Amino acid sequence: MTRLTVRNLTKSFGKIEVIRGIDLDVADGEFVVFVGPSGCGKSTLLRMISGLETISGGELWIGDRKVNEVQAAKRGLAMVFQSYALYPHLTVRQNMGFGLKVRKESPDEIERRVNEAARTLQLDKLLDRYPRELSGGQRQRVAIGRAIVGDPQVFLFDEPLSNLDAELRVHMRAEIAALHRRLGNTTIYVTHDQIEAMTLADRIVVLRDGRIEQVGSPKELYARPDNVFVAQFIGSPKMNVCPVEAIRSPLQRAGFSTGGATQAGLRPEHLRIVDEAEGILCGRVSISEYTGGGALLHVELEGAPVFLVENSGDDAPQPGDIVHLAFSGSDLHLFDAEGRACHREPELA
Amino acid sequence: MALSQPQLATVKRTCWMLSLVVVAIPFLFPFLWMISSGFKGPTEIFGEPTLIPRTWRWQNFVEVFDYQPFARQYFNSIYIACAVTVLTLLLSSLAGYALARMRFAGAALLMVFLMSALMVPEEVTIVPNFFLMKWLGVMDTHVPLILLPVFGPHGVMATFLMRQYFVALPKELEDAGKMDGLSRVGIWWKIALPMSRPALAAVAIITFLFSWNLFLEPLVFLSSLENFTLPLALSNFTDPYGAPLWHLQLAATSLAVVPILIVYLIAQRQIIESFAMSGVKG
């Protein structure tokens, strides 16, 4: 186990800067997830950490060793790729032992470690098969197996579950979480799936345009986003954000102070449909999407963009119905003109 | 009476087979005629045409070896073709890998420059090549017959084929190799090459055939009978007046086909095996 330190890391392809001064500390045994939209630089950052991509500026430390110029294989890392990257001409056993063989470990040692990893991942019976003879989930397990036989200091996962179907993804997610609990290695995991990020991470790093927007635990990011981007990126369905001006009157009537905030945010799951007397906001349902356990309502508020509202139960309002919405003050998020969070609890006027 | 579904399928398949056999006849006939004539006497070849010889002249295949050092010439062709094939595979796969996978200044320009070699006919370069080989002191040796195909337009074509194949190999496999500690050469040798068996097989077949059929270069660079390769040797089965001895020429040609058939059969199996190999995802 080891810690990882990133200081002012930059990466440019020609004149285009894709990573713009990243600072990050990953503690021993921590599970850190990089999330962000496509093109935000999360995979590039992971590849820079792995050594597959050169570093244009800044410093990267693994433990007490600065590794900017150290080859990928000598950084003490192992990486699991999105497409598994199993060598198709080698069996599972050979795939898993390949790195050890390159490092000239003795055949007995290779055999022992491959068997141990195979037992951990329940691959014992698949060792003599070729990758083409395995299912997607089995291939992913082999890819993980190949990573763990090398006993790396840090695990790197680059969107490892994105090629799996939804059911298998949930299963593999649980397996990765269990594996991390068992091995306790420092892990960096890249995904664009925020459910994966929320369920696996000790801390999430939200990236946009090559910069870190916020680092924090899943709960912190959900409850206290630093800005509108993080507020809308974390949580599904995404947070409703509208100009404060559009709902200032109902907020004042309800006794909520908005201070100098210019934008207000409310999560769909924090909006409750209530009687007219208790309602703070009022609108007309334009679309009602059945989601199994309830419905996702698209509510048109006067002077504000359409708000999404999660309604549980079978008695969902129908399109055309007028609904009254309430929420608690602690669920109201306020942002300034630049989109930065106004970090204070909304107060009663 | 209406045919059942399996019967209908059998009839259809039989019709297809018969059609294919009919289409194959024009392609197979010259080959069969060559084999058949290899067993005929000189008079029978030009007599009433028959596919099966009236008298089987097995001694044609013995005379072929008595007439000139045919065994030696046969061996020359085999070892030259093997050397050219191995060297072409080695160099074209290395160059193709570099052009496909390594980013360096002028890579695209280099590729265009190499490809331009394909546009120059062999006959144009034979004279400068003659002087080059003379200057190197390798006239009447097999060196020109190995060097020219490897470094000439054929080598460029092989490099191009390998490059195209390497371009399509998943980059993540290379990354996985780097994470496992392989160098560039290691990735080429342990990952790219084993995964390129279809391309290697194709290049091997084309190269072996190219070298095996080479005629102009042996004609220009060789003068000793012992150094002749098969194409030159085959044209040498003539009587004292220069007229072809067809029965010997055809018997020798029949023998000359054997290694090509073997190479094709081996490589064909390899190609089919390699096709079955899947990519990284599935």
Side-chain angles (χ1 to χ4, degrees):
Chain A
M1 288 196 291
T2 195
R3 71 180 187 284
L4 190 135
T5 310
V6 174
R7 287 286 169 265
N8 196 27
L9 211 64
T10 60
K11 174 72 189 174
S12 303
F13 291 108
K15 286 180 182 170
I16 302 164
E17 200 175 25
V18 290
I19 297 292
R20 307 162 191 234
I22 300 280
D23 286 296
L24 181 69
D25 291 288
V26 180
D28 270 358
E30 195 176 16
F31 198 123
V32 169
V33 177
F34 294 170
V35 288
S38 296
C40 69
K42 53 189 187 296
S43 286
T44 306
L45 180 57
L46 190 80
R47 289 173 61 80
M48 288 165 74
I49 293 170
S50 72
L52 293 174
E53 208 70 71
T54 54
I55 293 169
S56 304
E59 291 181 359
L60 174 65
W61 294 74
I62 296 173
D64 298 324
R65 199 162 60 117
K66 187 179 168 188
V67 293
N68 284 43
E69 306 297 333
V70 177
Q71 284 175 11
K74 294 182 178 164
R75 292 190 181 189
L77 315 170
M79 189 154 169
V80 177
F81 295 89
Q82 183 177 358
S83 61
Y84 324 131
L86 300 177
Y87 308 123
H89 57 292
L90 302 181
T91 61
V92 169
R93 186 191 303 280
Q94 290 166 331
N95 259 288
M96 287 171 69
F98 189 82
L100 298 175
K101 199 174 165 189
V102 172
R103 271 173 256 160
K104 297 191 169 33
E105 295 282 353
S106 70
D108 291 344
E109 179 64 8
I110 295 173
E111 184 72 10
R112 187 187 68 75
R113 281 157 79 168
V114 167
N115 287 339
E116 197 178 303
R119 260 196 311 278
T120 307
L121 295 160
Q122 293 158 4
L123 290 167
D124 321 49
K125 288 175 185 161
L126 307 175
L127 284 173
D128 295 315
R129 289 202 199 167
Y130 284 92
R132 62 177 177 272
E133 297 166 340
L134 305 177
S135 68
Q138 288 169 336
R139 286 182 203 189
Q140 191 52 271
R141 283 219 296 275
V142 176
I144 294 170
R146 186 171 64 178
I148 66 175
V149 289
D151 194 18
Q153 294 173 302
V154 181
F155 275 129
L156 307 175
F157 289 87
D158 189 5
E159 306 205 32
L161 307 184
S162 53
N163 282 337
L164 303 178
D165 61 46
E167 195 182 334
L168 200 53
R169 201 178 304 167
V170 173
H171 177 71
M172 285 305 295
R173 204 167 68 202
E175 280 200 20
I176 289 173
L179 191 72
H180 178 249
R181 274 196 303 275
R182 193 157 61 242
L183 301 176
N185 291 48
T186 307
T187 302
I188 301 178
Y189 188 105
V190 165
T191 181
H192 61 265
D193 182 340
Q194 53 155 305
I195 302 293
E196 257 172 62
M198 300 288 271
T199 51
L200 288 170
D202 293 326
R203 278 194 305 154
I204 296 176
V205 178
V206 183
L207 289 147
R208 179 170 64 154
D209 295 334
R211 286 198 181 90
I212 292 180
E213 290 288 328
Q214 189 174 354
V215 182
S217 69
K219 269 187 187 165
E220 275 169 5
L221 262 60
Y222 180 79
R224 295 177 65 83
D226 274 352
N227 52 49
V228 173
F229 175 78
V230 176
Q232 291 204 297
F233 194 81
I234 300 293
S236 177
K238 69 177 187 178
M239 181 188 279
N240 302 296
V241 175
C242 73
V244 164
E245 211 49 51
I247 55 171
R248 188 181 295 282
S249 306
L251 290 180
Q252 279 176 345
R253 273 202 302 276
F256 296 131
S257 162
T258 54
T262 57
Q263 297 177 83
L266 285 161
R267 295 201 181 276
E269 57 274 28
H270 293 154
L271 290 165
R272 303 185 310 276
I273 296 175
V274 293
D275 294 336
E276 188 176 351
E278 293 175 59
I280 301 170
L281 302 171
C282 175
R284 181 187 297 275
V285 176
S286 59
I287 299 170
S288 173
E289 295 172 328
Y290 180 64
T291 56
L296 184 65
L297 308 175
H298 296 236
V299 179
E300 291 173 356
L301 301 180
E302 270 180 40
V306 172
F307 265 35
L308 297 175
V309 179
E310 271 191 1
N311 181 72
S312 54
D314 294 331
D315 55 342
Q318 295 306 303
D321 289 354
I322 300 291
V323 290
H324 300 275
L325 305 171
F327 51 87
S328 63
S330 57
D331 292 331
L332 176 66
H333 298 265
L334 296 169
F335 305 97
D336 64 17
E338 275 77 47
R340 288 190 299 262
C342 304
H343 274 310
R344 56 186 185 75
E345 294 300 326
E347 297 158 2
L348 287 175
Chain B
M1 190 184 73
L3 293 172
S4 66
Q5 202 65 26
Q7 284 172 325
L8 200 66
T10 310
V11 170
K12 269 189 185 173
R13 199 166 50 238
T14 310
C15 289
W16 268 112
M17 293 291 281
L18 285 173
S19 317
L20 289 174
V21 167
V22 170
V23 171
I25 287 172
F27 297 97
L28 277 176
F29 183 76
F31 182 76
L32 294 175
W33 188 85
M34 175 189 78
I35 306 271
S36 151
S37 301
F39 287 97
K40 290 175 184 173
T43 42
E44 197 185 336
I45 289 175
F46 293 103
E48 199 173 321
T50 52
L51 202 56
I52 295 167
R54 282 190 210 94
T55 326
W56 291 80
R57 270 178 61 96
W58 295 94
Q59 63 266 39
N60 285 354
F61 289 88
V62 179
E63 279 178 41
V64 156
F65 291 92
D66 294 337
Y67 193 85
Q68 58 179 336
F70 191 68
R72 175 69 206 224
Q73 292 159 344
Y74 207 105
F75 172 75
N76 290 343
S77 266
I78 288 178
Y79 103 77
I80 290 171
C82 287
V84 169
T85 305
V86 170
L87 281 174
T88 302
L89 285 176
L90 185 74
L91 289 179
S92 67
S93 61
L94 270 171
Y97 180 76
L99 287 165
R101 289 305 196 180
M102 291 170 75
R103 280 179 291 180
F104 57 93
L109 194 70
L110 183 64
M111 194 64 213
V112 172
F113 182 67
L114 281 174
M115 293 303 287
S116 66
L118 292 177
M119 295 163 203
V120 183
E122 221 179 326
E123 290 76 8
V124 173
T125 53
I126 196 77
V127 174
N129 279 335
F130 176 83
F131 284 111
L132 175 66
M133 294 303 154
K134 199 175 169 194
W135 180 71
L136 289 173
V138 289
M139 293 299 289
D140 200 24
T141 70
H142 294 144
V143 175
L145 308 190
I146 296 172
L147 287 186
L148 293 180
V150 172
F151 293 101
H154 178 78
V156 173
M157 174 55 82
T159 301
F160 177 70
L161 283 175
M162 292 308 300
R163 177 196 175 271
Q164 294 308 96
Y165 199 84
F166 287 137
V167 162
L169 285 183
K171 194 177 176 306
E172 283 195 338
L173 287 175
E174 230 171 295
D175 289 341
K178 281 185 202 165
M179 294 300 293
D180 279 333
L182 289 178
S183 62
R184 271 281 180 198
V185 176
I187 291 170
W188 165 77
W189 179 248
K190 291 194 168 169
I191 299 174
L193 272 193
M195 286 184 65
S196 307
R197 274 191 268 171
L200 290 171
V203 169
I205 292 172
I206 297 168
T207 307
F208 195 91
L209 281 174
F210 179 82
S211 171
W212 192 258
N213 294 329
L214 216 57
F215 184 76
L216 182 64
E217 281 80 358
L219 187 66
V220 171
F221 295 110
L222 301 179
S223 51
S224 316
L225 217 52
E226 294 76 29
N227 285 340
F228 274 19
T229 55
L230 279 180
L232 212 53
L234 293 178
S235 67
N236 204 39
F237 286 106
T238 53
D239 66 15
Y241 303 103
L245 295 167
W246 290 108
H247 61 299
L248 294 185
Q249 216 166 68
L250 290 167
T253 311
S254 303
L255 289 174
V257 167
V258 175
I260 290 296
L261 283 178
I262 292 170
V263 165
Y264 183 73
L265 288 174
I266 292 170
Q268 192 189 37
R269 193 164 55 90
Q270 189 78 306
I271 289 169
I272 293 165
E273 268 178 16
S274 306
F275 279 163
M277 282 173 60
S278 64
V280 281
K281 290 193 223 182

